[in-house]
Amino acid sequence: MTGAMDGHAEDSGRVYQASGDQHISEHHHHYGEEAAARGGPDSVRRPAVGRPPVVLRDRYEVLERLRAGRSGELYVLYGMGGCGKTAVAYTFFQLATNECGRVGLWVSASDRSSLRAGMLAVAADRGAENGELLAARNGLRPAADLVWQYLDRSTDPWLLVLDNADEPEIFRDGSWLRTSPRGTVVVTTRRSATRWWPGAELQHIDVLPREDAARVLRDLAPHSGTHDEANQIAERLGRLPLALTLAGGFLSQQVLDPWTMETYRRRLEEDEGFDLIDQGADALSLEDPRHLVRLTWQLTLDSFESRGLPEAAALLRLLSRFAPEPLPLSLLNREEVSSALPRARCEIALRALLDQSLTELVDVGVRCTQSHGVLLNSVAAATPPEMVPGLDGTAVRLLEATVPTVVDAGPYDPMNRLLVPHTLVLLRRGSDLPTVTTALVVAVRLCTALHRTGDYLSAWETAQTAADLGERRLGKDHRLVLAARSRAGRALFRLGRYNEAELLLSRIREAQERLFGADDPDTLDTCHGLQLVLGNLGRREEAVSLLRSTVAGRQRALGSAHPLTLRSRSSLLVLLSAPEIRAEEDGALLALPSECIQHLGLDHTVTLGACHNHAWALFGLGRFDEAEQEIRLVVEAYQRRFGPDYPNLLSAQQLLSRILAARGDVNAGIEIMREVTAKRERSLGVDHPFTVASRQLLGAFRSGQ
């Protein structure tokens, strides 16, 4: 890898960067484990850096050191935010892929969920199968081991960049950070302590020297002033590449009333906001990017106002209420945005932010906008307090309008994960109780959506985090807090953690009955989930008793034709014995599928579930022909709607194998169970109770041949 470089490093080995039409995007996220799983990246083969740097200056020594390294090495590029660490990694990535024939892999390591999703995407790139990935996503097999297994097996040499690793502790959970003889790992981070990076070669990336910082401004705005004036601005901005890029972009975009560098410098001197560099930053250097970037974007927003485009400033303030994660563009294209800025002007406002490098477009399977975390934090801090409640209200209403009120089962939808971090950040820092309450409503809906698409681990993590955040603001006995914890218990059951689920759901049921009554819909929802746990723990009598009371309660509270009532009634078809089913309401329970079709329609999810359970009851009654005919229709419907690995489909296929074996076609039953067992091992893990049951059934079929 070669490239024309005109700078070098001396003494301590620090090197510096500047560029021509320079655009440096570093994304730094500062929030804890409240962040839920986001959707996986659309690609790990292309660096997610927005606009790449056009010219790389004074990083020659770093690049030479990286180029000279051998496979199996780990390099850590560290320095303060905005100094160009990502730009160095990007340039090395291009050299490695274009000149050295390596496979380039780029992962955002800004938080636990981004790292996990990105690394699993790397495993997929290197050949991991869908079932293995599903098991890793659900926490049922070691995700890091799976990723590094496929990296170690790679037939092609590779370069893996872990970008924005500002929380290095997340690497220790599962030992995500490793080395391999098949490739090289490069990490960009703010954290420089050697204890975080054992065995790594560390390289400091500093701010720009004065001359090169001035050159950035001159490259971007060549006609705005002299080199000496550029030097003064560069010093005033702390020689931070990100701040210089925004300043140069501001100067270059002025048309009607062009600013000179002298005007810009004078505004910097006069702007009262510049005093904020010292306030609240006692422990930080004067080059702290939070303050310097804040100055720069504020000048840009002032220019929006003066040019008759206040909507751009309004949109950026609205974006600052969300998390620094990809935000679906469709969310901004809703009528609810009109309370912050006219919907018809949202398009031009977004284009203005893109032009000024205040946000960027990213594609993670869904078209999104994403803004720098430091920028958003700065905008949020500078927003007038009287505007905050209105902006929070708009943000949460946009989320509420995007998530369906009634969530149906379906295949994986990346939108769900994308919305989670934005909902949680509003739940965590919402300015008033209405915002917090609505955010918790949305969070519970998202938990339900994640659960019903089979993403049980994300559902559990989101529900648990939402409940903890909601409890701090609303109290532990708030209805929505209890509903979120109930969803967490339902997800624990699906993850095979029966004892934990039983303890949690029992506690929540007791609280809901005490606070809201036994026939309250939330109480009954928890009861329905708890009876599933009890049944799978072998406590059938308790489960039957609880389910009967749930059915009766839902009939009183919701009516006999309500989908939730019909769902609970259909569960009786699985729990009751054959004699109990015959005696149940003079056989009316066996007519439940027809009742569901009448009230809900043939393709409704509850109708399909009732037909599935009805086939099980027919099997228990020895009516094998009818059972086989019905379950085959269910299998076909599940495959069409949910895909080949959906949990309910595997359950239906397992029932079909039982029926075939009971009719004497054991070989057909074995063939189906072999596939079901293999899929459950990949998606749920070998020790999940569902997997164990499938493996035992397969063994029974084989031993009975």
Side-chain angles (χ1 to χ4, degrees):
M1 291 175 280
T2 61
M5 301 290 175
D6 61 359
H8 65 280
E10 298 177 348
D11 299 323
S12 64
R14 295 186 178 185
V15 289
Y16 302 93
Q17 170 192 318
S19 68
D21 291 337
Q22 175 177 312
H23 301 275
I24 302 170
S25 297
E26 288 194 25
H27 304 275
H28 298 281
H29 308 273
H30 301 277
Y31 48 90
E33 293 202 30
E34 294 88 351
R38 57 173 279 189
D42 192 54
S43 173
V44 290
R45 291 293 192 98
R46 296 180 64 85
V49 297
R51 300 174 182 176
V54 177
V55 178
L56 192 72
R57 302 178 186 273
D58 290 328
R59 302 301 191 190
Y60 181 77
E61 195 167 281
V62 177
L63 290 173
E64 281 300 303
R65 185 178 178 186
L66 294 173
R67 289 172 57 186
R70 301 182 302 273
S71 289
E73 296 288 344
L74 168 61
Y75 297 92
V76 174
L77 310 179
Y78 71 92
M80 74 162 61
C83 286
K85 304 178 296 291
T86 297
V88 174
Y90 173 89
T91 303
F92 180 55
F93 186 99
Q94 298 301 320
L95 292 171
T97 55
N98 296 334
E99 297 185 14
C100 295
R102 291 197 177 201
V103 171
L105 303 164
W106 190 284
V107 171
S108 169
S110 59
D111 59 73
R112 194 181 310 276
S113 60
S114 299
L115 172 66
R116 195 166 185 270
M119 291 295 276
L120 287 174
V122 165
D125 182 273
R126 296 292 83 205
E129 297 181 359
N130 288 336
E132 295 172 296
L133 295 169
L134 181 60
R137 280 197 296 268
N138 281 331
L140 300 171
R141 67 173 297 171
D145 289 347
L146 174 70
V147 174
W148 283 99
Q149 170 187 321
Y150 278 94
L151 284 172
D152 288 336
R153 290 179 181 176
S154 176
T155 57
D156 302 308
W158 45 262
L159 166 67
L160 172 62
V161 175
L162 300 172
D163 194 33
N164 295 324
D166 296 327
E167 297 177 23
E169 54 269 25
I170 68 177
F171 288 107
R172 294 185 173 180
D173 184 8
S175 186
W176 283 104
L177 188 60
R178 311 181 191 181
T179 58
S180 169
R182 297 301 301 151
T184 300
V185 180
V186 173
V187 178
T188 70
T189 182
R190 292 182 180 183
R191 308 286 287 276
S192 60
T194 55
R195 70 179 184 275
W196 294 118
W197 317 110
E201 292 192 36
L202 273 66
Q203 174 65 58
H204 183 237
I205 308 296
D206 207 343
V207 296
L208 298 171
R210 177 169 176 158
E211 291 297 310
D212 290 297
R215 212 184 300 176
V216 171
L217 288 171
R218 293 277 288 162
D219 286 339
L220 293 172
H223 306 297
S224 298
T226 67
H227 189 77
D228 287 340
E229 291 170 338
N231 270 332
Q232 294 179 51
I233 294 175
E235 284 298 319
R236 198 64 178 163
L237 293 177
R239 297 177 281 119
L240 191 71
L242 179 59
L244 295 167
T245 298
L246 292 172
F250 171 83
L251 290 168
S252 66
Q253 294 298 320
Q254 302 305 302
V255 178
L256 294 178
D257 185 21
W259 282 30
T260 64
M261 288 188 184
E262 175 58 26
T263 303
Y264 195 94
R265 183 197 62 77
R266 190 167 58 250
R267 282 293 302 272
L268 287 176
E269 296 286 347
E270 298 170 354
D271 195 329
E272 293 181 357
F274 198 55
D275 294 336
L276 291 173
I277 291 178
D278 297 325
Q279 297 176 13
D282 295 338
L284 301 176
S285 68
L286 293 180
E287 291 88 0
D288 177 39
R290 292 169 179 81
H291 302 298
L292 298 175
V293 173
R294 178 175 178 176
L295 279 176
T296 308
W297 73 253
Q298 187 60 60
L299 290 175
T300 306
L301 293 187
D302 289 345
S303 77
F304 288 150
E305 298 280 354
S306 66
R307 287 153 52 192
L309 192 59
E311 296 86 0
L315 179 58
L316 187 57
R317 290 192 180 101
L318 177 61
L319 294 178
S320 75
R321 312 317 300 171
F322 294 105
E325 297 284 351
L327 181 73
L329 290 173
S330 59
L331 186 113
L332 300 175
N333 192 27
R334 291 182 172 276
E335 189 56 41
E336 288 78 7
V337 82
S338 298
S339 55
L341 70 157
R343 181 181 181 185
R345 300 283 289 174
C346 195
E347 169 75 21
I348 192 170
L350 180 59
R351 292 209 312 265
L353 296 183
L354 292 168
D355 288 342
Q356 294 287 345
S357 299
L358 295 172
T359 193
E360 63 178 337
L361 298 179
V362 296
D363 193 331
V364 291
V366 176
R367 293 180 65 246
C368 298
T369 181
Q370 185 172 14
S371 301
H372 193 290
V374 172
L375 172 66
L376 293 184
N377 288 340
S378 300
V379 174
T383 299
E386 64 273 14
M387 297 178 64
V388 170
L391 291 169
D392 281 349
T394 300
V396 79
R397 285 192 296 273
L398 286 168
L399 289 166
E400 185 181 27
T402 303
V403 182
T405 302
V406 179
V407 182
D408 197 4
Y412 172 74
D413 183 356
M415 180 70 80
N416 295 330
R417 285 190 180 182
L418 289 172
L419 296 178
V420 166
H422 304 294
T423 303
L424 294 180
V425 78
L426 282 164
L427 185 55
R428 182 169 62 251
R429 68 185 189 196
S431 56
D432 51 38
L433 289 184
T435 295
V436 172
T437 302
T438 306
L440 190 49
V441 169
V442 176
V444 172
R445 288 186 198 167
L446 283 172
C447 296
T448 306
L450 290 164
H451 185 106
R452 291 179 179 171
T453 58
D455 193 354
Y456 303 126
L457 182 61
S458 294
W460 172 65
E461 291 175 340
T462 302
Q464 180 175 254
T465 302
D468 290 343
L469 292 171
E471 183 174 318
R472 296 175 198 169
R473 304 293 300 273
L474 303 173
K476 65 182 178 65
D477 288 338
H478 193 278
R479 175 182 291 275
L480 290 169
V481 173
L482 293 172
R485 297 210 183 279
S486 180
R487 294 309 314 180
R490 300 283 289 270
L492 283 171
F493 163 65
R494 288 295 178 179
L495 290 171
R497 296 159 63 176
Y498 294 165
N499 292 325
E500 295 174 73
E502 192 270 332
L503 288 172
L504 178 57
L505 289 173
S506 295
R507 178 168 63 84
I508 298 306
R509 174 200 178 195
E510 179 183 347
Q512 289 172 327
E513 285 186 346
R514 172 173 51 84
L515 294 166
F516 315 130
D519 285 352
D520 183 83
D522 285 358
T523 305
L524 294 169
D525 187 62
T526 300
C527 289
H528 183 88
L530 180 57
Q531 62 85 20
L532 291 170
V533 180
L534 295 174
N536 280 271
L537 283 171
R539 294 155 62 179
R540 193 187 81 89
E541 297 302 321
E542 292 179 69
V544 169
S545 176
L546 180 57
L547 182 56
R548 288 188 185 279
S549 67
T550 302
V551 170
R554 281 183 161 173
Q555 285 175 329
R556 289 190 295 268
L558 304 173
S560 298
H562 194 280
L564 294 179
T565 304
L566 295 171
R567 185 193 300 273
S568 291
R569 286 183 62 200
S570 75
S571 293
L572 287 169
L573 289 165
V574 177
L575 272 181
L576 298 182
S577 65
E580 289 171 329
I581 289 176
R582 291 191 185 96
E584 187 76 16
E585 301 175 12
D586 297 324
L589 192 58
L590 288 175
L592 186 60
S594 298
E595 193 173 342
C596 289
I597 293 172
Q598 176 187 350
H599 293 298
L600 307 177
L602 183 61
D603 292 330
H604 196 281
T605 302
V606 171
T607 302
L608 288 176
C611 292
H612 185 170
N613 293 346
H614 185 252
W616 173 267
L618 293 175
F619 169 68
L621 292 167
R623 295 160 61 175
F624 300 144
D625 289 346
E626 297 170 74
E628 180 182 351
Q629 181 180 1
E630 185 157 30
I631 200 60
R632 286 190 182 277
L633 292 175
V634 171
V635 166
E636 180 183 345
Y638 282 159
Q639 285 177 324
R640 182 180 66 254
R641 284 189 57 182
F642 306 133
D645 295 322
Y646 195 72
N648 288 4
L649 171 61
L650 300 182
S651 177
Q653 289 174 325
Q654 181 163 301
L655 175 56
L656 176 59
S657 73
R658 287 179 179 271
I659 296 170
L660 292 174
R663 298 187 63 188
D665 195 351
V666 178
N667 288 332
I670 289 175
E671 187 62 31
I672 293 174
M673 279 312 303
R674 185 184 293 115
E675 181 180 356
V676 169
T677 303
K679 287 184 176 181
R680 280 184 163 168
E681 286 178 347
R682 290 194 298 268
S683 62
L684 299 176
V686 295
D687 296 326
H688 193 285
F690 290 177
T691 307
V692 172
S694 295
R695 195 161 51 243
Q696 290 174 344
L697 183 59
L698 178 59
F701 286 168
R702 286 170 170 165
S703 63
Q705 280 184 316

